[in-house]
Amino acid sequence: MDEQKKGTRRRGEILEEAIMNATLDELDQTGYAHLTMEKVADRASTNKAVLYRRWSNKSELVIAALHKFIPKIKREVPDTGNLRDDMYVYLQALIEPLKKVGAQTIRGLMIEPTVWRNLAAAIAQIPSGKWENKLTAAMMAIMKNAEKRGEVCLERLSPRIISLPVDLLQYELITKQEISDTAVAEIVDEIFMPLIRYSQTADK
C-alpha cells in the first residue's frame, strides 16, 4: 500500500516498529513457509520496496523481528541446592525463548542458504582455542557451585563433559528444530548425571 497516497508516511523507528509487528503477526497467522515480503508490507501498510531497503530477504526480516521482540536467553546461573536441579533449570531457561519462536519458524530459517552462510561466517570469526564462552562459563559456574556443596570434584571432569548438556541441546535443535521438556529431562537425568556420577567414582 502506498503510504504517500494515503498521507500516512512514516519513518525511522515508527515505521520499523510497524514492520516488525507485521512480521510477527504473519508468522503467527500464516507461518514461515507462507510468509512473504509482500504480505508483511501489506500488513504494515507500506510497500515491499521499503522492506527491501532494510532487509534483503525474508529470513533477515524474520530474524530481525525475533531479535527485537523474543525474550533474550537468561544468563543467570541457578543455585537450587543440588546439581541436577541447577542443570535442569538452566537448560529450561535456554529453551524458553525458542518455544516462543516455534519449531516451524526455526525449521524454515535453518533451511535458508543465507542463514547458513551467515552462521558459517560467524563461526569462522571465533578465535580458535577459546573454549569458554557465555554458555560454557555458565556451565562452569554451575559446576563450581556443585563442587562447593561437595557433589563433584572438578579435577575429575573434562571441559567436554561440562559442556555436554549444552552441546546436546544444540544438537537437538539442529536435528529436530525444537526441544521438548522431555528431551531436557533425558539429557539431564539419563545422560549427564549418570556420567557425572561415573566420573566421580571411576578409578578410585
Side-chain angles (χ1 to χ4, degrees), residues 129-197:
K130 285 201 171 184
W131 169 71
E132 187 158 304
N133 55 32
K134 289 183 179 180
L135 291 177
T136 52
M139 296 293 291
M140 179 60 74
I142 290 173
M143 299 309 298
K144 286 181 178 178
N145 286 339
E147 186 174 49
K148 290 177 183 177
R149 294 190 295 260
E151 294 180 270
V152 300
C153 174
L154 283 177
E155 291 183 356
R156 302 181 69 85
L157 297 175
S158 68
R160 192 175 298 276
I161 291 177
I162 295 173
S163 66
L164 183 61
V166 171
D167 293 340
L168 291 175
L169 213 62
Q170 293 172 340
Y171 176 79
E172 193 81 7
L173 178 61
I174 291 172
T175 57
K176 298 181 181 178
Q177 288 81 55
E178 62 181 329
I179 306 172
S180 66
D181 294 341
T182 299
V184 173
E186 289 174 351
I187 288 172
V188 175
D189 295 327
E190 298 180 18
I191 301 174
F192 183 66
M193 291 306 299
L195 184 58
I196 290 294
R197 287 191 288 269

Side-chain angles (χ1 to χ4, degrees), residues 19-49 51-52 55-62 104 112:
I19 294 171
M20 296 290 95
N21 282 313
T23 302
L24 291 186
D25 288 343
E26 277 295 313
L27 277 177
D28 183 55
Q29 295 185 24
T30 66
Y32 182 85
H34 299 289
L35 182 146
T36 66
M37 301 289 266
E38 291 82 357
K39 288 181 179 179
V40 172
D42 185 61
R43 186 181 288 272
S45 298
T46 186
N47 58 72
K48 64 180 182 180
L51 273 63
Y52 280 112
W55 306 279
S56 60
N57 52 60
K58 77 172 186 177
S59 64
E60 289 186 6
L61 174 62
V62 169
Q104 199 262 12
E112 291 280 4

Side-chain angles (χ1 to χ4, degrees), residues 115-130 170 174:
V115 174
W116 279 107
R117 283 197 295 269
N118 291 339
L119 180 61
I123 292 174
Q125 294 175 7
I126 298 175
S128 60
K130 285 201 171 184
Q170 293 172 340
I174 291 172

